[in-house]
Amino acid sequence: MFDITGKKAIITGGAQGLGFSMVQAFYQAGVEVAVIDISDGIFEICDKLGADASKIHTVQADLLNIESLTKSFEEALSKLGGTVDILINSAGLIQRKPAFEFSIESWNRIMGLNVTSVFELSRLAAVEMMKQGSGKIINMGSILSVLGGFNAAAYSTSKGAILQLTKSLSNEWAEHGIQVNAIAPGYMLTTMNTDLMNDPVRSPQIEARIPAKRWGTPEDVAGVAMFLASPASDYVTGTLIPVDGGVLGR
């Protein structure tokens, strides 16, 4: 029920943080993975994992550029032998600033990567998944898909959009055997949150708010992603699963 051995996955933003943790978990579970990322760190993934290079493929691309995005998907698909069972849209941007100080250029970059690239990659993957009558698309939402956040208007707006996009695509594609779901990480121990972890005021406030009394780890998210990628979740679609230590339950 939970076996995903032999499946083929495309994971964006897999060079670090939550994305890398999912690349590691899926590779160890016997999945052949193509990683798309703009970072040069993408070329170190195999060495970091001690991985079989025939099972981990890397594609460097700027997902803010639609032409580059399309080419990167086609390259990843080709490296996987022309089929894809799992798409994980993990690439994302955040910038913490008051709304009055936020540039429209930054707004467009965040919306472009966090929403538009997810929409387009999902459509490209769904075309291939429909041919086989099955597929798993996993989007990275956030607790800010539901909460408003603070000094994060663009990011929270983009993650709210991911929740609605996930529901909409699920409504359209569930009948084709494609499950579309989203994960809502809470406060995670990643470089994206380094500023919060080092903030002497915000950090203790955040920890006090988490019922589990600890920040989450990338491994916490990877476990839920593996469930959503497995046959165990074949009747789970159009939903947002929090991985937040209980924050949204307060």
Side-chain angles (χ1 to χ4, degrees):
M1 180 179 290
F2 295 95
D3 186 14
I4 52 177
T5 305
K7 296 295 185 180
K8 299 187 178 186
I10 295 175
I11 301 178
T12 70
Q16 61 183 349
L18 302 183
F20 177 76
S21 179
M22 288 183 282
V23 171
Q24 181 177 39
F26 277 65
Y27 170 74
Q28 292 174 347
V31 176
E32 185 176 352
V33 182
V35 186
I36 302 175
D37 202 304
I38 194 171
S39 169
D40 289 338
I42 195 171
F43 302 115
E44 301 171 3
I45 290 175
C46 279
D47 288 340
K48 287 169 71 174
L49 294 179
D52 178 353
S54 69
K55 296 298 182 180
I56 296 282
H57 314 287
T58 57
V59 180
Q60 189 174 39
D62 180 3
L63 297 179
L64 282 168
N65 180 293
I66 294 300
E67 182 179 354
S68 173
L69 178 152
T70 302
K71 288 181 178 178
S72 71
F73 178 83
E74 292 171 349
E75 183 179 346
L77 186 67
S78 175
K79 289 183 175 183
L80 291 174
T83 61
V84 58
D85 303 295
I86 303 156
L87 169 67
I88 302 181
N89 289 303
S90 182
L93 283 172
I94 188 171
Q95 187 175 7
R96 294 185 179 89
K97 278 188 176 181
F100 280 129
E101 298 176 13
F102 214 87
S103 71
I104 196 64
E105 290 79 16
S106 293
W107 173 277
N108 288 337
R109 280 178 57 81
I110 288 173
M111 296 301 290
L113 184 60
N114 293 9
V115 183
T116 304
S117 76
V118 173
F119 176 61
E120 190 60 15
L121 284 166
S122 295
R123 292 200 298 178
L124 291 169
V127 169
E128 303 304 321
M129 293 172 176
M130 285 180 185
K131 296 174 183 177
Q132 61 201 30
S134 64
K136 305 283 189 174
I137 297 176
I138 303 168
N139 297 325
M140 281 298 116
S142 167
I143 55 174
L144 298 190
S145 295
V146 180
L147 303 175
F150 184 75
N151 285 344
Y155 182 79
S156 60
T157 299
S158 73
K159 294 305 181 180
I162 285 298
L163 174 55
Q164 295 306 318
L165 178 61
T166 297
K167 292 177 181 180
S168 295
L169 297 183
S170 172
N171 290 341
E172 293 188 32
W173 299 341
E175 66 178 302
H176 300 287
I178 301 169
Q179 289 81 55
V180 187
N181 290 290
I183 298 174
Y187 297 103
M188 312 302 293
L189 293 172
T190 64
T191 55
M192 183 178 281
N193 289 323
T194 298
D195 56 341
L196 289 180
M197 288 184 276
N198 293 334
D199 188 317
V201 176
R202 291 281 287 137
S203 183
Q205 290 175 341
I206 288 168
E207 191 159 329
R209 184 176 182 177
I210 304 171
K213 298 304 179 187
R214 70 170 176 89
W215 290 61
T217 69
E219 291 73 24
D220 292 324
V221 172
V224 176
M226 292 181 70
F227 161 69
L228 290 175
S230 75
S233 65
D234 281 354
Y235 204 59
V236 178
T237 190
T239 194
L240 178 78
I241 300 181
V243 182
D244 65 352
V247 170
L248 291 183
R250 291 197 67 168

